Amino acid sequence: MKAAAVRAFGEPLGVPPVVVAVDGSEPGLRAVDWAADEAVLRGLPLRLVYASLWERYEGAHLGEGLHKPSEELMAEDIVGVAARRARSRQPQVRVTTEVLVEEPEYALVHESRDATLLVMGTRGRSGLAEALLGSVSLTVAGHAHCPLVVVRGNHDNQAARPVHGRIVLGVGAHGKGSAAVRFGYEEARRRGAVLDAVRAWRTPAHETTDHPLMSGEPARLHERQAVEALDSALENVPADVEAHRHTVEGDARPVLVAASYDADLLVVGARRRPRTFGLQLGRVAHGVLHRSACPVVVVPEPA
């Protein structure tokens, strides 16, 4: 049954849900928890999706009559467990489920067209599945049409909320008018959290000098440019959002990963390149998806 048809039964049509990919793993169930909380916070329905191409291996004919492929039975059990967990955590959440016989990457990117948020965990059910899901997560992050949340963080249960009351926003070169900036301050307002906007900067090697009277000039120039970039990016932040500006010398990836250790959410943008094939994910987004200590939101930016 298609998504629109499923939502027609008891769900308001035209309301983009929070969609979460389920796979039966513990990290996947933590993603369900996070997505259920977010759906209630936003007043949206929650849609649970399991995608697999089991028919390629088991054959569609096994589903005829009273029998179903074992993978399909497992998938139905997985989404059923996830739905019960979501309703147990948030009894008021409106939940629908779907099992899709499709490549996970294709199915989830397609789901993102009609979603407010797409939520995923970090690992699968086995060593092979973990590697495969990592590939799926990165592919979806590079092509999703809505913000993608990858629920990371287990060193102090940062997948739960609230822990720190702080959202970290990575401000890139195109911060002004950025969809990631808007997402960051809207989420901070929604949660009543502080928004910490971070702009990393470095002095290019070819601009440094050993002369003692000149050694500080390149650094001051690039730090000033970072401050100006932050000011420009945050000029439209609402007055009721507490926003802090931080310029940090260093590579953006380790800077943002370090900031994630006492944050509830790390927000970064991903600029899309139209008509470009292959993985469309910058080095910063790629790095924090692998190493962040808290959930990461990758917000698509227009080219």
Side-chain angles (χ1 to χ4, degrees):
M1 187 178 293
K2 298 300 182 182
V6 171
R7 291 196 292 272
F9 294 98
E11 301 292 354
L13 291 173
V15 178
V18 174
V19 175
V20 56
V22 297
D23 64 0
S25 67
E26 183 56 35
L29 290 174
R30 288 201 298 270
V32 170
D33 293 343
W34 194 97
D37 290 348
E38 191 71 15
V40 170
L41 186 65
R42 292 169 174 264
L44 296 174
L46 178 66
R47 176 169 163 78
L48 310 178
V49 175
Y50 178 96
S52 176
L53 273 181
W54 68 80
E55 288 187 349
R56 174 182 297 175
Y57 308 103
E58 299 194 47
H61 66 281
L62 293 178
E64 297 174 358
L66 299 177
H67 302 286
K68 293 183 179 181
S70 59
E71 177 77 11
E72 183 176 1
L73 293 172
M74 181 188 70
E76 291 174 352
D77 183 60
I78 286 171
V79 296
V81 168
R84 290 191 292 274
R85 178 157 172 153
R87 292 189 181 104
S88 175
R89 183 179 181 89
Q90 294 288 356
Q92 68 272 47
V93 72
R94 296 165 292 169
V95 179
T96 59
T97 65
E98 183 133 20
V99 174
L100 300 172
V101 187
E102 297 180 43
E103 291 281 5
E105 298 95 327
Y106 172 83
L108 295 174
V109 170
H110 181 76
E111 287 285 328
S112 74
R113 291 182 178 274
D114 298 312
T116 294
L117 287 177
L118 177 60
V119 183
M120 302 180 69
T122 56
R123 296 182 183 273
R125 299 184 301 275
S126 66
L128 176 60
E130 287 176 10
L132 184 62
L133 188 61
S135 173
V136 170
S137 298
L138 291 173
T139 300
V140 175
H143 295 86
H145 300 278
C146 71
L148 169 72
V149 183
V150 176
V151 180
R152 297 190 55 84
N154 54 25
H155 72 282
D156 66 351
N157 197 27
Q158 281 178 267
R161 73 171 94 188
V163 177
H164 302 287
R166 173 173 176 261
I167 291 175
V168 173
L169 168 67
V171 176
H174 306 283
K176 187 173 182 178
S178 162
V181 171
R182 290 195 302 275
F183 184 97
Y185 69 67
E186 288 170 359
E187 195 70 8
R189 169 190 271 172
R190 186 176 290 114
R191 294 164 177 245
V194 171
L195 179 67
D196 279 340
V198 179
R199 171 70 174 168
W201 63 274
R202 289 190 301 176
T203 304
H206 69 273
E207 295 185 18
T208 60
T209 175
D210 293 331
H211 194 287
L213 297 180
M214 293 293 291
S215 59
E217 289 302 320
R220 282 195 291 269
L221 170 63
H222 290 283
E223 184 176 16
R224 185 168 65 250
Q225 290 173 339
V227 170
E228 292 171 353
L230 274 179
D231 289 341
S232 176
L234 300 182
E235 65 181 6
N236 294 322
V237 172
D240 61 345
V241 174
E242 182 180 351
H244 301 163
R245 296 161 169 80
H246 305 274
T247 57
V248 183
E249 184 176 9
D251 182 84
R253 288 168 292 179
V255 165
L256 292 175
V257 168
S260 74
Y261 276 84
D262 56 355
D264 298 321
L265 201 62
L266 171 58
V267 182
V268 295
R271 192 158 295 275
R272 299 291 189 256
R273 295 179 291 275
R275 295 181 295 277
T276 299
F277 295 98
L279 189 62
Q280 296 191 42
L281 198 63
R283 293 186 304 114
V284 174
H286 187 279
V288 299
L289 281 173
H290 280 291
R291 299 182 58 198
S292 174
C294 72
V296 178
V297 186
V298 179
V299 182
E301 302 277 6

